[in-house]
Amino acid sequence: MSDQSAHAPYDALLLLSFGGPEGPDDVVPFLENVTRGRGIPRERLKEVGQHYFLFGGVSPINGQNRELLRALREDFAAHGVDLPVYWGNRNWAPYLTDTLRELVADGHRRVLTLTTSAYASYSGCRQYRENLADALAALEAEGLPLPRVDKLRHYFNHPGFVHPVVDATLAALERLPEDVRAGAHLAFTTHSIPTAAADTSGPAEGHGDGGAYVAEHLDVARLVAGAVRERTGTDRPWRLVYQSRSGAPHIPWLEPDICDHLEAVHGEGAPAVVMVPIGFVSDHMEVMYDLDTEAAAKAAELGLPVARAATVGTDPRFAAAVRELVLERAASERGERPERCALGALGPGHDLCPVGCCPARAPRPAAAGADSPYA
């Protein structure tokens, strides 16, 4: 039997993601959505789109989100959580604004949001909150009822995220040739962002020198490296490295790049490397191209054996973690004091993004935070 009181006051969960093209004709329009307002010529977007054309013009992210939707709905149903789950994207169909219209038409007024980004940063948190504010403003302009929209806390250090990464890392080690396995290094990868954005990530009191973005990734890397050491009896060299840089060359971004790192550790005598994409929830385009294609090609050029760990994807422990986070937040909204699961040194994050958290270069309204105009 379902217990609606467990998720009260919420009456819907929104899965909010980036979106991606689902065919060759979608690629340039999708990239125009992603880069809107930056003045990037269409011809340049066609060049950038070559990454997608290598995979038939289809980004895997939408298919992966459909699978995550299925996993969440099945987990909720199996545990008596009668909460409908919707899906909307920032940059491709199903678009966020259309999904919020659907939610409102279905009678939902208290919506909890899960974003497919586990860490604090402008692009990984506040920009999603700005998109939510834009969508709510569109509904308001149409005279539609406005739901209250909240956002789940960052889940990078939840056991249901960390433990699947540990198992994936161990599985990747097993795929290496036996004669290099014992000495393999670990390279924990995430999306590079401008250093200025990293330094101002998270609450204002923690800004500076990588901010929350770097600190949170390092915390996960330490957890995973420590668990792998305990499970294998081997203390492996590891480093947090970056991928998918896309900015102008003169703007400093987080380094080292994964390909540069592979070259460096090969020069130092590393016999093999396991790439562990802790910054990503699923095996979408940045994982498949920047790691499975580009970094793998660099490793082959060097003669360096590599293996890539899987992302958490639809691991049942991750689906269960989302359910636990939903019930935790619902209990907090009811004035209760639920247990807040978190591993590592940083502890559970905030429910409500404070003023000054992950600021934008140009201030814009953002929902689901202390500065929300739609509280």
Side-chain angles (χ1 to χ4, degrees):
M1 293 182 60
S2 65
D3 180 6
Q4 295 190 12
S5 64
H7 60 73
Y10 296 107
D11 55 21
L13 177 68
L14 167 65
L15 173 64
L16 177 54
S17 193
F18 193 82
E22 300 206 70
D25 292 342
D26 296 345
V27 172
V28 172
F30 162 74
L31 292 172
E32 287 175 333
N33 287 343
V34 173
T35 62
R36 193 172 307 282
R38 301 183 201 172
I40 298 177
R42 188 175 178 86
E43 290 306 310
R44 173 58 183 151
L45 295 180
K46 289 180 181 178
E47 293 176 19
V48 174
Q50 292 307 312
H51 294 183
Y52 291 96
F53 293 128
L54 288 173
F55 297 88
V58 179
S59 168
I61 193 170
N62 279 355
Q64 290 162 3
N65 280 327
R66 292 186 184 98
E67 286 299 303
L68 181 56
L69 271 179
R70 178 193 55 76
L72 292 174
R73 287 167 175 162
E74 289 180 356
D75 177 89
F76 285 10
H79 292 85
V81 178
D82 187 16
L83 191 69
V85 187
Y86 293 74
W87 168 38
N89 290 325
R90 284 167 50 176
N91 298 300
W92 202 249
Y95 288 103
L96 170 59
T97 302
D98 295 335
T99 302
L100 280 184
R101 287 194 194 97
E102 182 184 0
L103 278 160
V104 167
D106 289 346
H108 301 298
R109 297 296 182 268
R110 287 296 301 271
V111 180
L112 195 51
T113 305
L114 165 70
T115 63
T116 53
S117 175
Y119 300 85
S121 70
Y122 171 72
S123 57
C125 184
R126 186 176 176 89
Q127 192 170 15
Y128 281 106
R129 294 177 48 226
E130 291 174 351
N131 298 144
L132 284 166
D134 291 343
L136 290 168
L139 266 61
E140 187 174 35
E142 295 167 12
L144 295 175
L146 293 187
R148 173 172 164 177
V149 180
D150 292 327
K151 179 179 174 295
L152 287 174
R153 64 177 172 93
H154 298 300
Y155 48 84
F156 64 93
N157 57 2
H158 193 286
F161 185 83
V162 175
H163 291 160
V165 177
V166 172
D167 288 347
T169 304
L170 292 166
L173 280 165
E174 288 298 313
R175 292 196 298 273
L176 288 171
E178 189 172 357
D179 61 333
V180 298
R181 192 178 302 153
H185 291 212
L186 305 179
F188 295 100
T189 77
T190 191
H191 208 301
S192 184
I193 61 175
T195 56
D199 292 346
T200 57
S201 58
E205 63 270 18
H207 287 176
D209 196 19
Y213 188 74
V214 172
E216 290 170 359
H217 281 87
L218 285 173
D219 205 35
V220 174
R222 291 187 193 99
L223 285 166
V224 176
V228 170
R229 180 181 62 248
E230 290 174 8
R231 299 268 290 273
T232 65
T234 301
D235 191 8
R236 301 175 184 279
W238 64 267
R239 186 166 183 181
L240 176 63
V241 302
Y242 302 92
Q243 60 176 92
S244 313
R245 180 194 166 118
S246 59
H250 67 280
I251 298 175
W253 282 53
L254 293 173
E255 295 178 336
D257 177 78
I258 177 61
C259 290
D260 295 337
H261 177 69
L262 293 177
E263 194 158 4
V265 296
H266 176 258
E268 295 164 3
V273 174
V274 169
M275 300 181 290
V276 188
I278 57 171
F280 305 91
V281 172
S282 64
D283 287 7
H284 54 63
M285 185 57 69
E286 274 117 342
V287 175
M288 291 179 63
Y289 182 80
D290 296 320
L291 295 184
D292 295 350
T293 305
E294 195 171 54
K298 169 58 72 173
E301 173 192 318
L302 296 167
L304 177 67
V306 295
R308 197 263 293 172
T311 52
V312 298
T314 58
D315 188 289
R317 291 167 292 183
F318 180 53
V322 174
R323 168 173 42 85
E324 291 168 9
L325 288 166
V326 166
L327 299 183
E328 171 201 298
R329 180 62 182 274
S332 294
E333 290 293 308
R334 297 193 301 268
E336 301 169 18
R337 298 176 63 87
E339 179 183 359
R340 293 163 57 82
C341 290
L343 301 174
L346 299 180
H350 47 255
D351 280 340
L352 197 66
C353 293
V355 176
C357 195
C358 304
R361 289 188 298 272
R364 289 177 53 195
D371 54 354
S372 170
Y374 297 104

